[in-house]
Amino acid sequence: MKKLVCMMMLLAFLLAAGLAQAQTLINGAGASFPYPVYSKWAHKYHELTKVKVNYQSIGSGGGIAQIKAKTVDFGGSDDPLKAEDLKKDGLVQFPTLIGGVVTIINVPGIGSGEMVLSPEVLTDIFLGKIKNWNDAAIAKLNPNLKLPNQAITIVHRADGSGTTWIFTNYLTKVSNEWKEKVGNAKSVSWPTGVGAKGNEGVANNVKQVRGAIGYVEYAYATINKIPYTKLINKAGKVVTPNMDSFKAAAAAADWKNAPGFYMVLTDLPGDNTWPIAGATFILVQSSQLDKERAREMLKFFDWCFKHGGAMAEELHYVTMPDRVVDLIQETWSKHVQYADRTGMKQIWP
Amino acid sequence: MPQARDIASAIPGKAPAKIGADALFKWFTIIAALVVPIIMAGIFWELLSLSWLALKTFGWKFFISEAWNPVTQNFGAASSIFGTVVSTLIAMLLAVPMSIVIALFLVELAPPRISKVVGSLIELLAAIPSIIYGMWGLFVFAPFMATYVQPFLGQYLGFLPLFQGPPMGIGMLTAGIILAFMVLPFITAICRDVFALVPAVLKESGYGVGATTWEVTYKITIPYGVVGVLGGIFLGLGRALGETMAVTFVIGNSHRISASLFAPGNTIASALANEFAEATDPLFISSLIALGLVLFIFTFFVQVVSQLMLRRMYRGWSIKV
């Protein structure tokens, strides 16, 4: 008798667990850069709709690998896949957020936004050709600053990262010498300097080492209150890194003619454009197995684009301009499909 | 063994059950002991097969090339091997003499109460996780090195290539010193236990014939414990070679060989910790695994050499006795 009761209870428990499972759970994994925003969005969305979105921050490489293996519903990546790769693997790619990469410095007596660097000087510093902060080239750009006699130490990422990819992409675009000697990749052979792990590692090292210069995602510079520099952009204007200049970069890009949204937001035209920005991307399978599940996932991203902007800005990220969101929706309806007996069917809207 | 069985069967009645238990226990111990060599062989095989691509591509030049360029796909292990050896060397040069001196103080000179307190503090030092050493190294020790130690060394010993370059705080020297802090408690604890094992009779006879504390220490305690001390040193060496997190924080992580100890470098373990997660290219991954293979062979040889040395010393010791 007792046994029977136990069995009944177990059965009831299993049923309950099964019902709880029936509540939609969408899994994603990938880049760590957008993780704070995705998890905040997911939390809010769960409160509103009871749809749970779970995002694991395992790095862009892992995100791409997992969506290819179909172990997740969507993958996150900081460096976009090229259109032909997307086609080969049957994936659809779209951007979600934009962030800026800023150069941070630790020079005695110089505060945030006080120093201006040009693309040429920045490249020469990272090539190790300009070795001291009182170099004439820096002084020429900053006639009002009192530059100390202090050796420059470069701090770069020691781990492979999307941030490095964006930063070296910019240097490759503005300097032929950089292009030939170093190049553009997630980790490169740095001509000089020390390496640190993660954005937080670079931020901490710059803070600790006098005379240091490094590059981090904008959020890490503001949270850690490390002085950043202004840069001279493609239009020849001095720009400050902030939400507005990142938005200007997003707006300056020609998304319409970028197949698979393959777009790098470095060295773009426009008076107010921050020259080193990058988007982070979501990858989904173009042929979905479960129509309802796919719809739920796209609904989540739709909600993010429409209502997530303020939450993202609190965390120092910028969402996509409306014009681009329209393009993304168009891509969803055209390329995200599921198969039934009569052929491929559209899921969105 | 047959003899044991004979004796067992000579006892009437209970013999079969006893043999069964014995056999069971014997096989259990054999299997348990076999797990270790099987795992070792498995790791070695896995490392070798996965690093084959890199070894085939670069040949023996992999071990002497300083290049580490993910863009052009050109990899070499020289800077990592150099960094591993140099940082370990600095650590051992600092930690070994200090550990022996501390152990001698605790055993020979300190009043029992102080010895107990300091002894347990040292054991506590061994229990601190390595990431704590790393963070302490970056936030506290590196600025201290940059403001006091490195400028001082640069000023007075700057004519040596070892102490040239800007004082950044992080770099090979700082990594070596942090490593010394980390292996110090291990070596000290073992030396202390070894010295404490020296029979009181020996020491007392030394004092009896009029030897001073120094003479007793130098001529009785140290020679008696030398085998154990060496064991402790090799344990520390093994730890220093493979230490990862703390070194990653302070060594500067740059794939370059530099004569200056102020310059940033890297070790095999730190390179692996940094670069494995985002290495997607087959040749890149294979090169990283080849680095792991080098470290595996390194530590293996340290163990073999230490065993050989200890055995030789034991032999010499037994003749003396």
Side-chain angles (χ1 to χ4, degrees):
Chain A
M1 192 58 206
K2 220 173 174 182
K3 233 178 191 172
L4 198 72
V5 172
C6 273
M7 291 282 276
M8 296 279 277
M9 278 173 74
L10 191 70
L11 206 70
F13 177 76
L14 284 175
L15 262 171
L19 281 177
Q21 272 290 307
Q23 175 201 44
T24 321
L25 174 71
I26 294 162
N27 282 309
S32 52
F33 158 64
Y35 172 72
V37 184
Y38 290 172
S39 59
K40 195 166 185 179
W41 281 347
H43 180 75
K44 187 80 189 165
Y45 194 68
H46 182 237
E47 275 177 6
L48 294 173
T49 62
K50 298 285 163 237
V51 173
K52 208 163 182 178
V53 179
N54 173 32
Y55 183 76
Q56 299 171 56
S57 146
I58 56 168
S60 302
I64 295 171
Q66 290 222 6
I67 187 65
K68 275 185 188 166
K70 300 184 187 177
T71 50
V72 289
D73 297 304
F74 66 90
S77 173
D78 283 344
D79 52 332
L81 291 179
K82 294 225 163 87
E84 58 262 31
D85 291 328
L86 290 170
K87 202 160 194 180
K88 195 181 75 196
D89 294 311
L91 297 174
V92 173
Q93 172 174 267
F94 58 89
T96 51
L97 291 164
I98 288 160
V101 176
V102 302
T103 43
I104 50 174
I105 54 170
N106 176 357
V107 186
I110 293 176
S112 219
E114 287 179 11
M115 184 182 280
V116 177
L117 296 174
S118 67
E120 297 77 30
V121 169
L122 188 67
T123 320
D124 281 352
I125 290 175
F126 275 85
L127 280 170
K129 284 159 91 182
I130 294 178
K131 291 178 170 21
N132 199 304
W133 284 109
N134 66 9
D135 192 280
I138 302 176
K140 205 177 152 196
L141 289 167
N142 302 279
N144 299 324
L145 288 182
K146 214 174 151 278
L147 295 164
N149 174 18
Q150 170 74 51
I152 297 177
T153 300
I154 311 296
V155 182
H156 55 75
R157 288 285 286 268
D159 48 336
S161 97
T163 314
T164 301
W165 195 90
I166 292 169
F167 187 70
T168 54
N169 181 275
Y170 173 67
L171 294 182
T172 304
K173 275 186 188 164
V174 296
S175 156
N176 267 326
E177 191 178 354
W178 183 274
K179 190 178 178 181
E180 276 155 26
K181 279 192 182 160
V182 186
N184 174 205
K186 281 201 278 188
S187 62
V188 299
S189 173
W190 295 92
T192 170
V194 302
K197 196 168 163 63
N199 273 304
E200 62 283 0
V202 172
N204 282 322
N205 270 281
V206 169
K207 248 181 169 174
Q208 300 299 332
V209 178
R210 195 176 289 180
I213 180 169
Y215 59 93
V216 290
E217 299 286 355
Y218 177 64
Y220 289 87
T222 45
I223 291 166
N224 293 308
K225 298 196 170 56
I226 305 174
Y228 52 75
T229 70
K230 294 181 182 180
L231 288 176
I232 295 175
N233 65 13
K234 195 171 189 174
K237 297 283 191 312
V238 175
V239 275
T240 309
N242 55 32
M243 291 293 153
D244 293 332
S245 57
F246 301 157
K247 274 183 191 159
D254 181 16
W255 293 97
K256 200 157 192 174
N257 295 315
F261 293 103
Y262 182 91
M263 179 61 74
V264 185
L265 304 174
T266 55
D267 201 32
L268 290 174
D271 283 357
N272 191 28
T273 300
W274 181 251
I276 321 176
T280 186
F281 297 85
I282 291 289
L283 293 159
V284 298
Q285 288 285 343
S286 73
S287 76
Q288 297 282 339
L289 297 173
D290 184 338
K291 180 187 170 193
E292 283 315 308
R293 202 180 163 83
R295 258 189 79 79
E296 284 298 336
M297 176 173 69
L298 294 179
K299 257 160 93 178
F300 166 68
F301 286 117
D302 180 55
W303 176 85
C304 294
F305 285 131
K306 288 186 175 139
H307 307 283
M311 275 180 270
E313 284 201 26
E314 272 172 42
L315 296 165
H316 309 282
Y317 298 78
V318 177
T319 39
M320 306 308 292
D322 291 342
R323 191 167 55 80
V324 183
V325 173
D326 291 343
L327 286 173
I328 293 170
Q329 304 253 3
E330 210 182 300
T331 307
W332 288 352
S333 24
K334 264 192 213 155
H335 299 296
V336 183
Q337 297 172 316
Y338 82 103
D340 69 0
R341 271 177 222 142
T342 53
M344 297 305 278
K345 288 280 167 61
Q346 175 178 341
I347 296 175
W348 186 263
Chain B
M1 258 337 261
Q3 217 175 3
R5 198 171 293 163
D6 290 345
I7 293 166
S9 57
I11 302 167
K14 279 188 175 172
K18 242 187 175 174
I19 288 169
D22 267 358
L24 202 71
F25 183 68
K26 184 180 142 194
W27 281 107
F28 179 70
T29 50
I30 287 178
I31 290 167
L34 271 178
V35 168
V36 176
I38 288 173
I39 289 177
M40 286 283 283
I43 292 174
F44 181 73
W45 171 247
E46 195 76 353
L47 285 173
L48 195 66
S49 61
L50 290 175
S51 61
W52 194 245
L53 176 65
L55 298 178
K56 207 174 62 189
T57 312
F58 302 116
W60 56 273
K61 277 200 178 126
F62 180 76
F63 301 100
I64 55 159
S65 157
E66 198 192 333
W68 191 269
N69 193 336
V71 182
T72 57
Q73 298 278 311
N74 187 10
F75 300 103
S79 74
S80 303
I81 294 174
F82 175 81
T84 307
V85 172
V86 171
S87 62
T88 305
L89 208 68
I90 297 172
M92 298 317 279
L93 279 177
L94 292 173
V96 169
M98 213 149 123
S99 305
I100 294 176
V101 169
I102 294 173
L104 285 174
F105 171 76
L106 293 179
V107 174
E108 298 288 335
L109 297 170
R113 256 165 85 192
I114 293 182
S115 168
K116 220 174 211 169
V117 171
V118 176
S120 46
L121 282 180
I122 285 171
E123 271 154 27
L124 206 67
L125 213 57
I128 296 175
S130 67
I131 189 143
I132 305 291
Y133 279 102
M135 293 174 88
W136 177 79
L138 179 61
F139 292 116
V140 182
F141 192 63
F144 172 78
M145 289 288 288
T147 23
Y148 301 108
V149 181
Q150 292 185 338
F152 175 82
L153 287 172
Q155 195 175 348
Y156 293 103
L157 297 167
F159 58 92
L160 293 169
L162 284 179
F163 303 109
Q164 283 168 2
M168 292 183 293
I170 45 185
M172 200 63 97
L173 183 63
T174 311
I177 296 175
I178 293 283
L179 272 180
F181 283 130
M182 296 181 72
V183 298
L184 185 99
F186 287 87
I187 307 179
T188 307
I190 288 176
C191 289
R192 188 194 54 181
D193 292 349
V194 167
F195 293 150
L197 282 178
V198 178
V201 184
L202 281 181
K203 285 197 249 175
E204 277 159 16
S205 12
Y207 288 122
V209 295
T212 60
T213 310
W214 166 247
E215 283 166 335
V216 169
T217 304
Y218 185 66
K219 296 205 166 137
I220 297 174
T221 311
I222 291 182
Y224 194 91
V226 76
V227 174
V229 171
L230 266 179
I233 291 174
F234 280 113
L235 194 73
L237 190 65
R239 174 156 193 185
L241 278 175
E243 176 48 48
T244 311
M245 273 336 282
V247 173
T248 309
F249 268 79
V250 294
I251 200 166
N253 304 305
S254 114
H255 284 277
R256 271 186 302 277
I257 295 179
S258 172
S260 171
L261 296 180
F262 293 176
N266 78 111
T267 68
I268 293 175
S270 75
L272 289 176
N274 275 324
E275 291 172 47
F276 216 92
E278 286 285 334
T280 37
D281 209 83
L283 190 60
F284 194 179
I285 296 175
S286 182
S287 302
L288 284 169
I289 292 172
L291 278 186
L293 180 70
V294 173
L295 187 61
F296 185 88
I297 294 171
F298 248 55
T299 32
F300 187 77
F301 269 101
V302 165
Q303 283 308 314
V304 169
V305 168
S306 72
Q307 291 300 324
L308 287 177
M309 253 169 100
L310 288 180
R311 197 177 296 168
R312 255 176 85 172
M313 295 190 80
Y314 271 125
R315 218 178 287 146
W317 185 245
S318 55
I319 290 164
K320 240 190 260 169
V321 172

